[in-house]
Amino acid sequence: MDNAAIDHIINKYQGQARFLIQILMEIQEENRWLPREVLKTVSEKLDVSFRQVMRIATMYKTFSLVPKGHNEIHICMGNACHVRGAERLLKEVQELTGIKPGETDSDGKFSLEIGCCRGNCCSGPVMEIGGKTQDKMSPAEALKNYE
Amino acid sequence: MSKILIKIDGREFEASEGMTILQAAKEVGVEIPTLCYYEKLEPYGGCRLCTVEAEIRGRSKLVAACLYPVEKDLIVRTRTEKVDQIRKMLLELMLAHAPASRDLQAYAEEYGADKNRFQKESSFCIHCGLCVRYCAEIKKKEVITFVDRGTNREISFIPEIASQECENCKECFPLCPTEALQAAYVLTQALSFPSLQSVTE
């Protein structure tokens, strides 16, 4: 991510330090992760100490300090999904992608996360890829669409 | 500055406005145990070991003495059964993290805390924030910070600044209530393996 892109985002918020979280969120959205250099640039531009930026970037789950894959897979581990076989789904997805929760595969295609409740319990066990619920198909089929 | 009449453990005291219970108690000569308190820093209220019972208008509640400002007709009790129980529990929880700490052990003896009550999880850090706050408030270097959250929260030096500043300072080390070595360890780790820092996922 280059400086111009960061500047563009920071300018949107008039470079105000109180929008730090929003700025980081937009960078995260665009870049899919927060490299250390970017955080440093943000801290300089907003005149917020690097310490504070790090504290916030490590605090919230939205932010990732390691690269994320193009397609983020979320598997729900909530009660309803658990009962309907989330464990088996997770195991199968792990075998298909070769990554564990919290990891990203080597070609940056997928990263896997587990979470609790994606708000779609009736079609559980829920798997989301790139923010879209994958319904009525096998994990292999779902993943193939995003290869 | 108007004077406020308060009572601490039965002793009357004329406190001035803006004083905290802890400061007033010190004047009176009542000792309240603290871990995260340091005169030069803003009170933090992190360790809760200074919890006391404060009674106002007939109602009593538990407050952190280092943060609670004195008010009119305040009655403070520092060693009730309830307070002692809370302190004992806090000490036992903290001892699970830092069993070797001398400060903690001394308090544990006083309050009868059993250091083996909870399963050991020796992180050597009780999150008192003394080093973090000292660096930010007094040295104004902001080299050390808390990262992550919840059970994963830990102190971390920022290697880029630490390599320039920490060598000549190290003033945060002796502040640590658990073990001065802990900060030393984290600093060495930050300087030797900057890439490991804060990669938390």
Side-chain angles (χ1 to χ4, degrees), chain A residues 52-122:
Chain A
Q52 190 63 18
V53 176
M54 278 312 274
R55 195 170 178 167
I56 284 170
T58 53
M59 165 93 190
Y60 295 101
K61 237 186 162 176
T62 316
F63 305 130
S64 167
L65 297 178
V66 287
K68 278 266 159 85
H70 277 271
N71 302 300
E72 281 182 42
I73 308 172
H74 284 270
I75 293 178
C76 177
M77 287 288 162
N79 291 351
C81 293
H82 175 81
V83 169
R84 298 172 73 147
E87 301 276 322
R88 266 180 296 144
L89 174 65
L90 176 66
K91 204 173 156 208
E92 195 166 342
V93 173
Q94 277 183 13
E95 267 165 28
L96 284 166
T97 54
I99 48 174
K100 289 196 185 75
E103 293 179 349
T104 303
D105 61 1
S106 54
D107 44 2
K109 221 182 271 168
F110 294 111
S111 52
L112 183 58
E113 289 289 340
I114 54 171
C116 259
C117 205
R118 315 294 301 174
N120 200 4
C121 306
C122 56

Side-chain angles (χ1 to χ4, degrees), chain A residues 2 8 10 17 19 27 34 42-43 45 49 56 60-61 66 71 73 81-83 104 106 121 124 129 133-135:
Chain A
D2 57 359
H8 180 71
I10 291 176
F19 289 114
I27 295 175
L34 301 172
V42 171
S43 111
K45 295 247 158 94
S49 69
I56 284 170
Y60 295 101
K61 237 186 162 176
V66 287
N71 302 300
I73 308 172
C81 293
H82 175 81
V83 169
T104 303
S106 54
C121 306
I129 304 181
T133 310
Q134 305 299 315
D135 230 359

Side-chain angles (χ1 to χ4, degrees), chain B:
Chain B
M1 284 277 242
S2 56
K3 290 282 176 193
I4 299 167
L5 200 66
I6 63 166
K7 223 178 193 182
I8 300 178
D9 281 355
R11 290 183 230 183
E12 288 195 357
F13 177 65
E14 256 188 26
S16 47
E17 212 176 313
M19 245 182 175
T20 61
I21 293 178
L22 186 64
Q23 284 164 338
K26 209 166 261 176
E27 300 270 318
V28 183
V30 173
E31 206 196 316
I32 297 176
T34 55
L35 284 171
C36 71
Y37 180 76
Y38 185 57
E39 295 106 7
K40 291 180 189 163
L41 300 174
E42 288 283 311
Y44 183 60
C47 69
R48 308 315 272 192
L49 206 62
C50 62
T51 299
V52 293
E53 261 190 79
E55 188 183 320
I56 312 139
R57 291 188 297 278
R59 289 165 184 270
S60 98
K61 55 178 176 180
L62 294 162
V63 298
C66 66
L67 286 168
Y68 201 85
V70 292
E71 57 186 289
K72 206 172 152 250
D73 300 328
L74 178 72
I75 301 168
V76 179
R77 279 182 285 268
T78 66
R79 287 300 295 259
T80 60
E81 199 183 325
K82 206 171 174 185
V83 167
D84 278 8
Q85 226 166 31
I86 289 169
R87 288 185 189 155
K88 176 169 169 264
M89 172 62 105
L90 286 172
L91 285 165
E92 280 166 346
L93 286 165
M94 286 191 268
L95 277 164
H97 284 279
S101 159
R102 290 212 187 92
D103 293 8
L104 281 177
Q105 276 172 357
Y107 282 139
E109 204 159 303
E110 195 179 335
Y111 292 93
D114 173 14
K115 75 170 180 180
N116 295 316
R117 176 164 173 198
F118 296 106
Q119 198 190 346
K120 293 273 178 303
E121 198 186 309
S122 300
S123 64
F124 303 103
C125 184
I126 55 165
H127 297 170
C128 68
L130 274 174
C131 48
V132 175
R133 288 179 292 138
Y134 186 85
C135 198
E137 285 176 33
I138 294 190
K139 300 300 283 186
K140 306 233 184 300
K141 300 288 187 216
E142 316 214 344
V143 179
I144 181 164
T145 182
F146 282 117
V147 293
D148 220 323
R149 60 165 170 187
T151 51
N152 297 325
R153 195 156 173 253
E154 57 183 20
I155 52 167
S156 169
F157 284 88
I158 295 182
E160 293 89 333
I161 323 173
S163 56
Q164 292 156 24
E165 304 288 350
C166 292
E167 185 62 38
N168 304 318
C169 172
K170 291 181 188 149
E171 282 163 34
C172 58
F173 288 11
L175 291 179
C176 186
T178 64
E179 200 65 71
L181 277 173
Q182 169 57 10
Y185 167 74
V186 178
L187 173 61
T188 316
Q189 191 192 32
L191 294 179
S192 320
F193 310 103
S195 58
L196 278 180
Q197 280 294 300
S198 324
V199 179
T200 45
E201 254 305 314

